[in-house]
Amino acid sequence: MLRTRQNPALFIKVKRDGGVHSEAQINAFIRDYMAGQVTDYQMSAWLMAALLRGLDDAETTALTQAMLHSGKVLKLASVRAPKIDKHSTGGVGDKISICLGPLVAACGVAVPMISGRGLGHTGGTLDKLEAIRGYRVALDARTFERVVREVGVSMIGQTAELAPADRMMYALRDVTGTVESVPLIVASILSKKLAEGIDGLVFDVKAGRGAFMKDARSARVLARALVRTAARAGKRVTALITDMSVPIGRSVGNALETREAIAVLENEGPSDTRELTVALGVEMLLLGRVVTTRVQAKQKLERALADGSALERFERMLKAHGGDVKVVKDPSRLGSARERLPLFSLRSGYVADCDAHALGLSALALGAGRMQSGDPVDHTAGIELAKVVGERVEKGEPLAFVHAASKALARSELARVRAAFSIQSTRPRPKKRVIERLIP
Amino acid sequence: MLRTRQNPALFIKVKRDGGVHSEAQINAFIRDYMAGQVTDYQMSAWLMAALLRGLDDAETTALTQAMLHSGKVLKLASVRAPKIDKHSTGGVGDKISICLGPLVAACGVAVPMISGRGLGHTGGTLDKLEAIRGYRVALDARTFERVVREVGVSMIGQTAELAPADRMMYALRDVTGTVESVPLIVASILSKKLAEGIDGLVFDVKAGRGAFMKDARSARVLARALVRTAARAGKRVTALITDMSVPIGRSVGNALETREAIAVLENEGPSDTRELTVALGVEMLLLGRVVTTRVQAKQKLERALADGSALERFERMLKAHGGDVKVVKDPSRLGSARERLPLFSLRSGYVADCDAHALGLSALALGAGRMQSGDPVDHTAGIELAKVVGERVEKGEPLAFVHAASKALARSELARVRAAFSIQSTRPRPKKRVIERLIP
């Protein structure tokens, strides 16, 4: 088909001057970019103009679709169950996917989940899965579909085939100061998620100092844009805005978090990790239409945790991915850090606060995360919280344990971990993880 | 010297968020760009942020200096005369430099002029000079200095050694929609002009449909920024805002314009071409401090036109550059187009208007200009105006002559040239070329 090339400079000028792009113009721009006819320097100039001038809902949808169709779009036609995924905007101690996926699968909703790696102070599901010996995060599309069909859940990493435009654009945004744009974030997230071939999607939009969005207001702006754009793309969608001012559960660090996720699947684990898992599970079962009420959904999820069917799904997923299934019975097989240094409380009282951002940075420094994409990760490093917000601690009791490859490294983070805790004499009011629920 | 590299993404974010850069940060950014440590896509993202957020006077000055010092800065230490240049922002029929340089040199002010080529509907001094057989626009720095010293004037093209950052940044701006920024335009113009080793500078900022700035208001914004920044760089400076709604003089096209410039040097030529030349010359003599009053300056310039000394300087400049000196006595040596098609007036009356932009586009289409940098130019093509604004024309008399390489090409532009003229029954009020004069 003969087509006229769009002049990229004119396209950029439209956005620069506050104009609005048509769907066809956005398609041409992304298509020409993928074909090498729009250069990286033209793309980055446009990204900056888009960040500063904004994109409206129609433009955001068009950009999402253009990025989505830059690569392969999975159909998962052989999967009969409703296909629902969850996406979190990233936090500290966020191991929810690992327990949520198998749990929801046990309730009859298929979860084709493509996850990312940790970067900066936030962790990534892939790194947590890779704490399990043998677990392969790279499956080809056919195997991924088979695992989703047979097990009900598969968790893999981003592949080169899906939404390649997003990968190229994200690499540019990362080094050109153009990450912090709601429409660009929405298009980046959704173009990858829509490539999974899902029927619906739950967003866990984190708010608070440990999150990308530091306050509930900006989290709400992002959540609304995600929900609107996903709905325009024809997907069933819900978003929960959840608190990320304190870490989730009692662990920060890959193997430590995987262990905690397994505990939840064993019907144990910290109450807030469990609470958040069930809250997101309720939304997924509702979107999957395997239940009609929230009460039904909650009962179904709690039954799956209690009767071992969620844990059984997890074991089947591990097996399908080549992972060491024995970690379920023997979590010590996840490995442990050479050093586990206790941090003792200097006073008695109640834990009133625990700074998720500070602990995220500490975990990063201990080796659990990466400063730059491609850096190696120490799966055993991290922080184990002996006491969490609302709990009583006596002077001299451990507040936390710092896990690291050497005593010197562990010691170097003690002060930061200590400063993350606030102890007060009165019991603080309990805080809920879920702040708000948004639907289209 | 050990130095820490500046993080380009953080630098870009400062401007994106409306912040202000320090001089040291701007220096580091340009230096790292020239060293290949800041990529083109980072530069273009910053250029877009700078265009949309603006640069203040201190930032514009710092950027100008950083771009200036990206290359060689001429000193012209052996030139004893005051060194003053003129810069025009580009118009239609603007041959002023060619008569102004020798005229001012004849009055004791040295003119080290580095000019550009035409692009789009505007012409360039280099193309007009190259209409003279043999004229070499590329002189090395040593020869340039010698010609300025011995002749008082030399006109050359931009060299790779001077302000290379500007050349690289301009190439990017051209294709990323980041040309239209006053601070970026100022830094681009001034970084090149300051590299000439001048003591002072007169700006001819064009306003009107034939100019880059379409109205007097935006021309004034640019002129003020140019004057302020040049003054901050320690240069003596004046700007004239001049009308570019109608072409200058009676010719548009390279050889035609050179012929007109020679006529001015022969103390003839169209009155407005002469008026503008003298007006700019007055400013240059004042900045050069070879006179103390405007009246003195004007007398000196008119004497140099009348006594042949300006023309003699022109001949010496041609000789020094290898150009055909005989064109002065025999302008037919400039060559002429194969076709010279008259355009007859369809009615009698007074020429009330003549659209410079339309004629610029016609000249471009006839081959006198270039759509893209590097395109070849037909030096003989163009438009000769038989009648200009304010003059009486009778029905059937020629309004203009279209010069082109073929009858078909000449004919193809007749309608556009005709539409550029407005004829009315009453004599229009005369308009002045110089609209406003600005000093620091």
Side-chain angles (χ1 to χ4, degrees):
Chain A
M1 193 182 72
L2 191 75
R3 60 179 177 78
T4 321
R5 251 191 72 198
Q6 176 172 262
N7 182 324
L10 294 182
F11 177 83
I12 296 167
K13 283 182 189 181
V14 167
K15 187 46 65 188
R16 177 196 75 184
D17 297 339
V20 175
H21 300 302
S22 74
E23 186 186 340
Q25 287 159 352
I26 289 174
N27 276 339
F29 188 65
I30 299 297
R31 182 193 60 204
D32 292 347
Y33 179 56
M34 296 309 290
Q37 290 164 345
V38 165
T39 61
D40 280 343
Y41 47 84
Q42 290 173 318
M43 177 55 81
S44 69
W46 180 77
L47 288 166
M48 182 58 80
L51 182 146
L52 289 172
R53 292 296 200 172
L55 298 175
D56 69 19
D57 281 4
E59 291 175 305
T60 307
T61 301
L63 179 62
T64 303
Q65 294 286 347
M67 288 164 67
L68 167 65
H69 292 291
S70 70
K72 187 171 180 166
V73 180
L74 300 181
K75 292 255 165 29
L76 305 189
S78 71
V79 179
R80 304 287 291 276
K83 290 156 283 185
I84 310 291
D85 193 11
K86 185 262 319 187
H87 178 81
S88 156
T89 59
V92 176
D94 188 1
K95 67 282 290 177
I96 302 296
S97 290
I98 297 173
C99 34
L100 177 64
L103 170 60
V104 167
C107 297
V109 169
V111 183
M113 189 181 278
I114 299 180
S115 298
R117 298 194 178 276
L119 193 60
H121 76 279
T122 64
T125 296
L126 293 189
D127 297 322
K128 293 165 200 179
L129 288 168
E130 285 180 340
I132 301 165
R133 201 171 306 134
Y135 190 98
R136 285 187 297 125
V137 297
L139 298 187
D140 61 64
R142 187 182 296 269
T143 311
F144 179 60
E145 177 160 353
R146 183 179 56 73
V147 176
V148 173
R149 183 176 67 239
E150 294 177 358
V151 180
V153 55
S154 179
M155 299 186 189
I156 61 171
Q158 182 65 14
T159 79
E161 295 170 297
L162 304 183
D166 174 64
R167 205 166 32 261
M168 290 168 65
M169 290 165 70
Y170 195 86
L172 267 186
R173 287 169 61 208
D174 194 36
V175 293
T176 58
T178 49
V179 167
E180 296 86 351
S181 153
V182 166
L184 296 180
I185 292 168
V186 166
S188 173
I189 291 174
L190 271 180
S191 63
K192 285 178 291 194
K193 286 289 155 185
L194 298 185
E196 291 172 346
I198 47 175
D199 301 310
L201 187 55
V202 175
F203 290 107
D204 180 2
V205 179
K206 303 291 192 193
R209 63 194 162 195
F212 188 67
M213 299 296 179
K214 302 298 178 197
D215 58 279
R217 206 191 62 79
S218 55
R220 199 172 295 123
V221 169
L222 175 59
R224 282 206 188 111
L226 283 166
V227 164
R228 279 197 315 267
T229 312
R232 284 178 83 117
K235 300 299 168 189
R236 307 175 208 157
V237 59
T238 307
L240 298 184
I241 298 174
T242 68
D243 179 55
M244 190 28 75
S245 54
V246 303
I248 298 170
R250 291 182 177 274
S251 57
V252 180
N254 300 299
L256 293 171
E257 293 192 44
T258 301
R259 188 185 281 223
E260 182 176 313
I262 294 172
V264 170
L265 289 167
E266 287 172 325
N267 208 21
E268 294 167 11
S271 60
D272 66 328
T273 310
R274 185 188 167 102
E275 172 205 331
L276 189 51
T277 304
V278 170
L280 290 162
V282 164
E283 302 302 338
M284 292 173 81
L285 298 198
L286 286 168
L287 291 182
R289 297 175 183 166
V290 295
V291 294
T292 49
T293 68
R294 309 181 68 74
V295 172
Q296 273 180 1
K298 208 168 171 213
Q299 285 172 347
K300 209 172 169 83
L301 291 161
E302 288 185 339
R303 205 158 46 232
L305 290 172
D307 69 9
S309 58
L311 188 66
E312 187 251 346
R313 290 286 170 150
F314 178 67
E315 289 173 328
R316 282 168 61 191
M317 180 179 82
L318 290 196
K319 207 166 170 187
H321 281 260
D324 175 13
V325 180
K326 292 183 188 153
V327 293
V328 173
K329 297 276 175 330
D330 179 9
S332 76
R333 295 177 68 89
L334 287 165
S336 52
R338 198 185 172 90
E339 295 298 332
R340 178 173 180 265
L341 218 64
L343 171 79
F344 298 109
S345 183
L346 299 177
R347 53 175 290 202
S348 299
Y350 292 93
V351 177
D353 198 8
C354 182
D355 181 342
H357 187 241
L359 291 190
L361 292 175
S362 263
L364 173 64
L366 292 168
R370 45 176 80 77
M371 296 289 283
Q372 296 208 316
S373 146
D375 286 351
V377 154
D378 178 355
H379 290 102
T380 63
I383 301 148
E384 188 189 341
L385 304 175
K387 301 289 177 183
V388 296
V389 171
E391 291 182 339
R392 174 94 198 155
V393 63
E394 302 305 327
K395 183 177 170 180
E397 261 195 309
L399 270 173
F401 297 91
V402 175
H403 296 241
S406 75
K407 199 161 273 180
L409 186 54
R411 274 209 194 104
S412 70
E413 285 301 318
L414 282 181
R416 174 147 59 176
V417 175
R418 181 182 300 287
F421 282 90
S422 306
I423 314 286
Q424 65 185 31
S425 49
T426 55
R427 185 189 292 272
R429 282 202 353 195
K431 269 177 84 173
K432 289 237 166 211
R433 280 273 164 204
V434 179
I435 299 168
E436 196 172 334
R437 176 175 183 266
L438 297 173
I439 54 170
Chain B
M1 192 183 72
L2 191 74
R3 60 179 177 79
T4 319
R5 250 190 75 199
Q6 176 172 262
N7 182 324
L10 294 183
F11 177 82
I12 296 166
K13 283 182 190 182
V14 167
K15 188 46 66 187
R16 177 195 76 184
D17 296 339
V20 175
H21 299 303
S22 74
E23 187 186 341
Q25 286 160 352
I26 289 175
N27 276 339
F29 189 64
I30 299 298
R31 181 193 61 202
D32 291 347
Y33 179 55
M34 297 309 290
Q37 289 165 344
V38 166
T39 62
D40 280 344
Y41 46 84
Q42 290 173 318
M43 177 56 79
S44 69
W46 180 79
L47 288 167
M48 182 59 80
L51 183 146
L52 289 172
R53 292 295 200 174
L55 298 176
D56 69 20
D57 282 3
E59 290 175 306
T60 307
T61 301
L63 179 63
T64 303
Q65 294 287 347
M67 288 164 66
L68 166 65
H69 291 291
S70 70
K72 186 171 179 164
V73 180
L74 300 181
K75 292 254 167 27
L76 304 188
S78 71
V79 180
R80 304 285 291 275
K83 290 156 283 184
I84 310 291
D85 193 10
K86 185 261 320 186
H87 177 82
S88 156
T89 59
V92 176
D94 188 0
K95 68 282 291 176
I96 302 297
S97 290
I98 296 173
C99 33
L100 177 63
L103 171 59
V104 167
C107 297
V109 169
V111 184
M113 189 181 278
I114 299 180
S115 297
R117 297 191 180 278
L119 192 59
H121 76 280
T122 63
T125 296
L126 293 189
D127 298 322
K128 293 165 202 180
L129 288 169
E130 285 180 339
I132 301 165
R133 202 170 306 135
Y135 190 97
R136 287 188 296 124
V137 298
L139 298 187
D140 62 64
R142 186 182 297 266
T143 311
F144 180 59
E145 178 160 351
R146 183 180 56 74
V147 177
V148 173
R149 184 176 67 238
E150 293 177 358
V151 181
V153 55
S154 179
M155 298 187 190
I156 61 170
Q158 182 65 16
T159 79
E161 293 169 299
L162 304 184
D166 175 64
R167 206 167 30 263
M168 290 169 65
M169 288 165 72
Y170 195 87
L172 267 187
R173 286 169 61 206
D174 194 37
V175 293
T176 57
T178 48
V179 167
E180 295 86 350
S181 153
V182 166
L184 296 180
I185 292 168
V186 166
S188 173
I189 292 174
L190 272 181
S191 64
K192 285 177 292 195
K193 285 288 153 186
L194 298 185
E196 291 172 346
I198 48 175
D199 301 311
L201 187 55
V202 175
F203 291 107
D204 180 2
V205 179
K206 304 292 192 191
R209 62 195 162 194
F212 187 68
M213 298 295 179
K214 301 298 176 196
D215 57 278
R217 206 191 61 80
S218 55
R220 199 172 295 122
V221 169
L222 175 59
R224 282 207 188 110
L226 283 166
V227 165
R228 277 199 314 267
T229 312
R232 284 179 84 117
K235 300 299 168 190
R236 307 177 209 155
V237 60
T238 308
L240 298 184
I241 298 174
T242 69
D243 180 54
M244 190 26 76
S245 55
V246 304
I248 297 169
R250 291 181 177 273
S251 57
V252 180
N254 301 300
L256 293 170
E257 292 191 44
T258 301
R259 189 185 280 224
E260 183 176 313
I262 294 171
V264 171
L265 288 167
E266 286 171 325
N267 208 20
E268 292 167 14
S271 60
D272 66 328
T273 310
R274 185 189 166 101
E275 173 202 333
L276 189 51
T277 303
V278 170
L280 290 163
V282 165
E283 302 302 338
M284 291 172 80
L285 297 199
L286 285 168
L287 291 183
R289 298 175 182 164
V290 296
V291 293
T292 49
T293 69
R294 309 181 69 74
V295 172
Q296 273 181 2
K298 207 166 172 215
Q299 284 173 347
K300 206 171 171 83
L301 291 162
E302 287 183 340
R303 205 160 43 232
L305 289 172
D307 68 10
S309 57
L311 188 65
E312 186 252 346
R313 290 288 170 150
F314 179 66
E315 289 173 328
R316 282 168 61 192
M317 180 178 82
L318 290 196
K319 207 165 171 187
H321 281 260
D324 175 13
V325 181
K326 293 182 187 152
V327 294
V328 173
K329 297 274 175 332
D330 179 8
S332 76
R333 295 177 68 90
L334 287 165
S336 52
R338 199 183 172 93
E339 296 298 332
R340 179 174 180 265
L341 218 64
L343 172 79
F344 298 109
S345 184
L346 299 176
R347 52 174 292 201
S348 298
Y350 292 93
V351 178
D353 199 6
C354 183
D355 181 341
H357 188 240
L359 291 189
L361 291 175
S362 263
L364 173 65
L366 292 167
R370 42 177 82 79
M371 297 289 283
Q372 295 207 318
S373 147
D375 286 353
V377 155
D378 178 355
H379 290 103
T380 64
I383 301 148
E384 188 188 343
L385 304 175
K387 300 289 177 184
V388 297
V389 171
E391 290 183 338
R392 173 95 198 155
V393 64
E394 301 305 327
K395 183 177 171 180
E397 261 194 307
L399 271 173
F401 297 91
V402 175
H403 295 241
S406 77
K407 198 161 274 180
L409 185 54
R411 275 209 193 104
S412 70
E413 285 301 318
L414 282 181
R416 175 149 55 178
V417 175
R418 182 181 299 287
F421 281 91
S422 306
I423 314 286
Q424 67 185 30
S425 49
T426 55
R427 185 189 292 270
R429 282 204 349 197
K431 269 177 85 174
K432 290 238 166 210
R433 279 274 164 204
V434 178
I435 298 168
E436 196 173 336
R437 177 175 183 267
L438 297 173
I439 54 171

